[in-house]
Amino acid sequence: MSQGKLNVLHIHLSDTGSWPMEIDMYPEFTKDASYRNETYTRQEIRDLVQFAKERGVKILPEIDMPGHSPAHFDAPEITAQYGPIVQCTTVEYNTPEYCFEPPAGQWNISNPNVTTILLNVLTQLSEDFSTAPHLHIGADEVNTNCSAVGTAYEHSTYDEKKNFTKYSVQAFLENILTNITDNLGMKVAMWQDSIAVYDVEIDEPEDVLIQIWSYHDAQGPVLKKYCQEGSQMIQSATRYYYLDCGDENPFLSPPNFCTTFESWKTIYLQDIITASPGMPEECDNSFTGASVQLWSEKINKNTMMAKLFPRALALAERLWSNPTIPASNDGEEWIPAQMRLRLVNDFNLMNKCLEVAPMQPEFCLKNPAICDEFALTHGPRSNLHSVSSLE
């Protein structure tokens, strides 16, 4: 990351499928909620933070809430001590009506113990992730039907469930937000759903970072409001910056939002402000950066590096240089970028035996001048006629 000018690592620490970190106050949480004992101890997290700090990288930890909660937290020993802290986790709820993908599970925010538990977890994270610029609390994709399970609204109409979900999630998130800023003295990051779907009121907008992933025009007024009041934003538009896309979502028919694979060139040529078309112009100066996301549903240690690089490098190159891209995108800008990125990706990272995706044929690693000259004459569409002179 440091070689490629990537300076923040955003870790989505937990989801319905796993809770991989040890929490001192809740040692039972990792018993059944992690894979093959793949857990982080507190010391391992602190070592990672220090390792990253020495290389100029900050780590942004995320505990998503109230959606995307660990399904295994319905274990009898947990329920006996704290009451039901998760909802709709039994097998009959693994349907599209109750979850975005299996396993189903959300924090049961009607149980007051849940707020206490999450604040204790966030307190530990604030201590261990000492360089974190924010604490990320997620706040996206809360399933309406799941939210109503076990409540007085379970058998209500969908609209009644929707209103219940909206206002209960709003109150819950505002409580969490206030506790983080007032009691932990930290800033907060949230996905855009928090303000655009659940109407979370932010008292100190400058203390909150909004992460954009799926913008549509109806969200414009509320985003405009917080941009004007001082909130900063991170661009993570699915269209360009979800690097796990391209191999198809395992649960959706094509085409869908994750069908397209975007090349490093597309990412480099895309201005982050226009990556979400229609965003209010008042937000143009609110973007403090952008991030590429690599969700792990279909990623493992054998495929991760090739999914990340060189495309993550291309985003960093774009953000730090922010070139003026010609409307034709005909090669004047991506060719020099390719020359620079190749030094990091195809020489440095590949020489470290990292399984990154190569940017050029192996011939070009040994003969870069020939390949660069070919690209300079062949790349711009206006010069296609000159190819014959190089054959």
Side-chain angles (χ1 to χ4, degrees), residues 158-276:
Y158 184 79
D159 285 343
E160 289 172 330
K161 292 178 182 179
K162 187 175 181 180
N163 286 333
F164 164 73
T165 299
K166 177 179 178 179
Y167 293 114
S168 59
V169 170
Q170 177 189 25
F172 167 78
L173 290 174
E174 287 176 356
N175 185 17
I176 294 289
L177 177 61
T178 299
N179 271 277
I180 293 174
T181 56
D182 292 357
N183 298 334
L184 298 182
M186 293 193 67
K187 296 185 177 182
V188 178
M190 304 185 293
W191 294 99
Q192 70 192 61
D193 307 39
S194 57
I195 59 172
V197 178
Y198 308 114
D199 292 347
V200 170
E201 290 288 338
I202 303 174
D203 292 333
E204 301 292 339
E206 66 275 10
D207 290 337
V208 178
L209 180 72
I210 304 299
Q211 191 161 9
I212 306 297
W213 70 284
S214 181
Y215 174 79
H216 54 83
D217 290 343
Q219 300 172 352
V222 68
L223 291 176
K224 174 181 175 180
K225 172 181 182 292
Y226 283 109
C227 288
Q228 291 176 323
E229 293 181 1
S231 287
Q232 292 185 318
M233 298 196 176
I234 287 287
Q235 179 62 273
S236 303
T238 57
R239 171 67 173 81
Y240 300 100
Y241 304 130
Y242 272 35
L243 300 188
D244 52 302
C245 290
D247 287 336
E248 282 299 349
N249 184 292
F251 306 108
L252 299 176
S253 297
N256 57 68
F257 78 94
C258 210
T259 296
T260 305
F261 178 97
E262 299 296 351
S263 72
W264 76 262
K265 293 177 185 177
T266 301
I267 293 172
Y268 175 74
L269 293 170
Q270 179 59 50
D271 185 278
I272 66 170
I273 293 175
T274 59
S276 294

Side-chain angles (χ1 to χ4, degrees), residues 69-82:
S69 73
H72 292 90
F73 281 4
D74 62 357
E77 60 268 32
I78 295 178
T79 302
Q81 187 167 358
Y82 307 109

Side-chain angles (χ1 to χ4, degrees), residues 324-339:
T324 301
I325 305 295
S328 61
N329 288 345
D330 61 1
E332 285 91 339
E333 288 297 337
W334 67 258
I335 292 174
Q338 179 173 263
M339 296 177 186

Side-chain angles (χ1 to χ4, degrees), residues 115-131:
T115 298
T116 301
I117 288 169
L118 287 171
L119 289 175
N120 288 333
V121 169
L122 291 169
T123 298
Q124 178 173 313
L125 295 187
S126 71
E127 297 168 356
D128 294 346
F129 289 92
S130 56
T131 64

Side-chain angles (χ1 to χ4, degrees), residues 13-22 27-40 70-73 78:
L13 281 166
S14 65
D15 214 297
T16 52
S18 177
W19 181 276
M21 67 223 140
E22 295 180 356
E28 65 273 26
F29 279 9
T30 53
K31 180 179 178 181
D32 297 311
S34 60
Y35 294 106
R36 297 179 298 275
N37 295 318
E38 294 178 348
T39 59
Y40 297 105
H72 292 90
F73 281 4
I78 295 178

